[in-house]
Amino acid sequence: MLILHCPWCGPRSQTEFAYGGEAHIARPLSPESLSDAEWADYLFMRKNPKGRHLEQWGHAMGCRRWFNVERDTATYAIQGSYKMGEEPPGGQR
Amino acid sequence: MSRYSIFSLARNALSYHENWSRAWRSPEPKREYDAIIVGGGGHGLATAYYLAKEHGITNVAVLEKGWIGGGNTGRNTTIVRSNYLWDEATHLYEKAMKLWEGLSQDLNYNVMFSQRGVLNLGHTLQDMRDIERRVNANRLNGIDGVVLDTKGVKEIVPIINDSPNARYPILGASFQPRAGVARHDAVAWGFARGADQRGVDIIQNCEVKGIRRENGCVVGVETNKGFIASKKVGVVAAGHSSVIASMAGIRLPLESHPLQALVSESIKPCIPTVIMSNAVHGYISQSDKGDLVIGAGIDSYVGYGQRGSYSIIEGTLAAIVELFPTLSRVRMNRQWGGIVDVCPDACPIISLTPVKGLYFNCGWGTGGFKATPGSGWVFAHTIAQDRPHELNAAFSLDRFSTGHLIDEHGAAAVAH
């Protein structure tokens, strides 16, 4: 069971949260100018790393706000949470 | 290598079963192979077996980072069925089903395939409409299936809770009589033995660390046992597919999630078939030993830890007790997790890649075991001919840019 740290509500059980997938995937500003392969890359392709992962979580059963978490997908160790627009605790993306 | 039969059993009984030959060798890797399979699970071993048997390519190595069948092959709930909705999926899984039906004879290895049927329960009017649509689609494709009402379900599984007052009352089910279960370890061992007999080298404790390429073509793999050359590399690495793909600079549309299962103490026979419910999210069967085999759902987050959250188990067991109140005091003996590589459309990728000679078979997600022989059969064809078989042509990696997804997530009897 993970204990996630909501930047607004503090440490809470994982069951309160909704997982939002890989963080920092920006929607292309002009989708119509992309090739099919580029659009597929945005829509479907994921890093899915074994190790350090930057991911989105929403406090669905709490304040309902979204934030990012830096977590290790192999050990499940959580490095920390950070608000949207901030830099991850472990440095660069 | 001896052939298994009643006579070999009797002969070995005379020496107290102490002189059985090894089922497969444990060779050191050669410098070069005609083809390398990365991943010694059921799918990888089946691929090697059919490469040798159907295509005459016997100079093959299967590289396994742990022990064969120690990943998802040994961690699933052993369900085999082919009642998918869409034509592409249904034909692929039915190919596997046909191979399952002759597999023990073909391999000369008892995989304990037991066609006890599978029930996919419907709890709402919409569930029942979807079930009717799917069964009709199956029958049009020549696949067996019937729609049952509550009474029909109760006749097959007398201990099921058919109360109309249940939170999720059982309105009926689809039933595929030819579906069933198989002994998962035996599938890995049978394919390993069959491949080994035909000259395939099965190399355990051999982890791939890199994929060497020259001019856009694969030339071999770096491993903890050194460089092994091959112009054809087929990757069947399940939850670790994205990790291997990143070694070759390829991005895949996969997310790896923990999926859990558990078994109970042994009890007398009470579940004569496989029962799945999407709405309450549980599935259950009973092994020949008598233990209940229960499958849970995936954790929503990406995880490679081969363990999941307790809350998932709690939800699954609540569903099982809802369906079978009489099981409420059965104790669970063991619980474990595997890493499943989930694709956006819940269908596999069995495909060529932008790197020549590099092939991927992945994305089976939560339901790969049932396809083991069929997956190996089409992947062997893909590797040997350097083009997909017509059964897996639709399962190429480029379907994510063409838009030809095969959406089995909500449509078919997929319980996740």
Side-chain angles (χ1 to χ4, degrees), chain B residues 179-256:
Chain B
V181 292
R183 172 92 166 87
H184 51 187
D185 296 319
V187 176
W189 299 334
F191 274 122
R193 176 169 169 270
D196 181 88
Q197 278 179 350
R198 286 167 170 81
V200 172
D201 283 356
I202 296 163
I203 300 156
Q204 304 186 75
N205 300 311
C206 182
E207 183 173 359
V208 169
K209 305 277 194 184
I211 294 175
R212 198 183 287 180
R213 292 154 287 152
E214 280 170 16
N215 303 321
C217 303
V218 75
V219 293
V221 292
E222 316 280 356
T223 76
N224 58 350
K225 297 190 187 230
F227 176 74
I228 307 174
S230 180
K231 291 189 170 59
K232 286 173 184 272
V233 175
V235 180
V236 205
H240 281 74
S241 297
S242 298
V243 177
I244 306 272
S246 69
M247 294 174 188
I250 295 169
R251 272 162 69 79
L252 295 174
L254 301 177
E255 284 196 328
S256 298

Side-chain angles (χ1 to χ4, degrees), chain B residues 36-102:
Chain B
I36 288 174
I37 306 299
V38 180
H43 290 235
L45 294 164
T47 305
Y49 174 77
Y50 289 116
L51 269 176
K53 180 175 178 243
E54 304 284 342
H55 304 279
I57 301 174
T58 57
N59 185 28
V60 175
V62 177
L63 309 183
E64 166 55 48
K65 72 174 170 148
W67 65 95
I68 59 167
N72 293 350
T73 299
R75 293 166 187 268
N76 60 74
T77 48
T78 79
I79 299 167
V80 175
R81 60 187 177 88
S82 63
N83 56 349
Y84 280 66
L85 176 69
W86 300 108
D87 291 351
E88 297 89 344
T90 242
H91 290 143
L92 182 63
Y93 290 106
E94 181 61 14
K95 171 69 189 175
M97 179 67 86
K98 294 235 164 67
L99 290 168
W100 276 116
E101 288 175 330

